[in-house]
Amino acid sequence: GRGANSALEDVGLLLDELESVSSREEIPAALKRFSDKRVKDVHAATELSKQAFTISKALPSKLNLLLYTWTYLAFQKLHRLAPSIATLKPWQWTVNQDSHVSYTQVVESKSFQSNVALFVAALTFFVSGGMIATIGSLCWNGLVSV
């Protein structure tokens, strides 16, 4: 899977850097260039493995799972409606199907989709909370009976 692809990418990038080496003294610089090229993607892969099934670290686990599931299903449907729009493809599909996409790009996609989920959840909460408060106020004032 992705781990093997990542390892092969490492090998290719390392070979590219070592091919330019003409003396032993140049090896540390070549290794540094290789490391600099890979560090962002390695950090992204680590973040993805730690936070794969969460929308936000600040949310309780059950709410995270609920929002995560809702987000995954919503982006599946959105992607089916508009398959040419890359940001609508569930990031989980990208990580499993598109080995040419870097972990950094997958984390960016996950972050975008998580932010959309949080925005929609907050909007839903405030709109429904506003409606509940309005109905409650009308009932309290005797203008509407339930």
Side-chain angles (χ1 to χ4, degrees):
R2 288 289 293 212
N5 288 339
S6 184
L8 291 173
E9 186 177 355
D10 283 346
V11 169
L13 289 171
L14 183 56
L15 285 174
D16 288 346
E17 291 300 331
L18 292 177
E19 283 177 346
S20 66
V21 170
S22 58
S23 69
R24 291 181 92 132
E25 292 77 29
E26 295 175 357
I27 292 175
L31 293 175
K32 171 105 173 73
R33 286 191 305 272
F34 162 75
S35 179
D36 290 346
K37 285 181 182 176
R38 293 298 290 154
V39 71
K40 187 175 178 183
D41 216 35
V42 169
H43 287 299
T46 302
E47 178 184 335
L48 196 58
S49 70
K50 290 180 180 178
Q51 302 297 327
F53 300 103
T54 61
I55 295 296
S56 170
K57 295 179 215 175
L59 296 175
S61 61
K62 287 184 181 180
L63 183 54
N64 252 318
L65 183 59
L66 178 68
L67 275 176
Y68 170 84
T69 303
W70 175 85
T71 303
Y72 178 65
L73 295 173
F75 276 94
Q76 277 183 341
K77 296 213 181 290
L78 289 170
H79 179 66
R80 286 189 182 113
L81 291 172
S84 61
I85 302 174
T87 54
L88 297 182
K89 184 176 187 176
W91 67 265
Q92 299 89 335
W93 291 8
T94 302
V95 79
N96 289 316
Q97 298 171 355
D98 302 330
S99 60
H100 65 281
V101 177
S102 72
Y103 282 111
T104 302
Q105 291 168 304
V106 172
V107 166
E108 288 168 359
S109 178
K110 179 186 182 302
S111 178
F112 168 77
Q113 292 176 12
S114 294
N115 287 337
V116 168
L118 288 170
F119 174 77
V120 170
L123 186 63
T124 302
F125 175 77
F126 288 117
V127 168
S128 65
M131 289 188 319
I132 291 168
T134 301
I135 292 169
S137 177
L138 292 172
C139 290
W140 180 263
N141 293 323
L143 300 174
V144 172
S145 61
V146 188

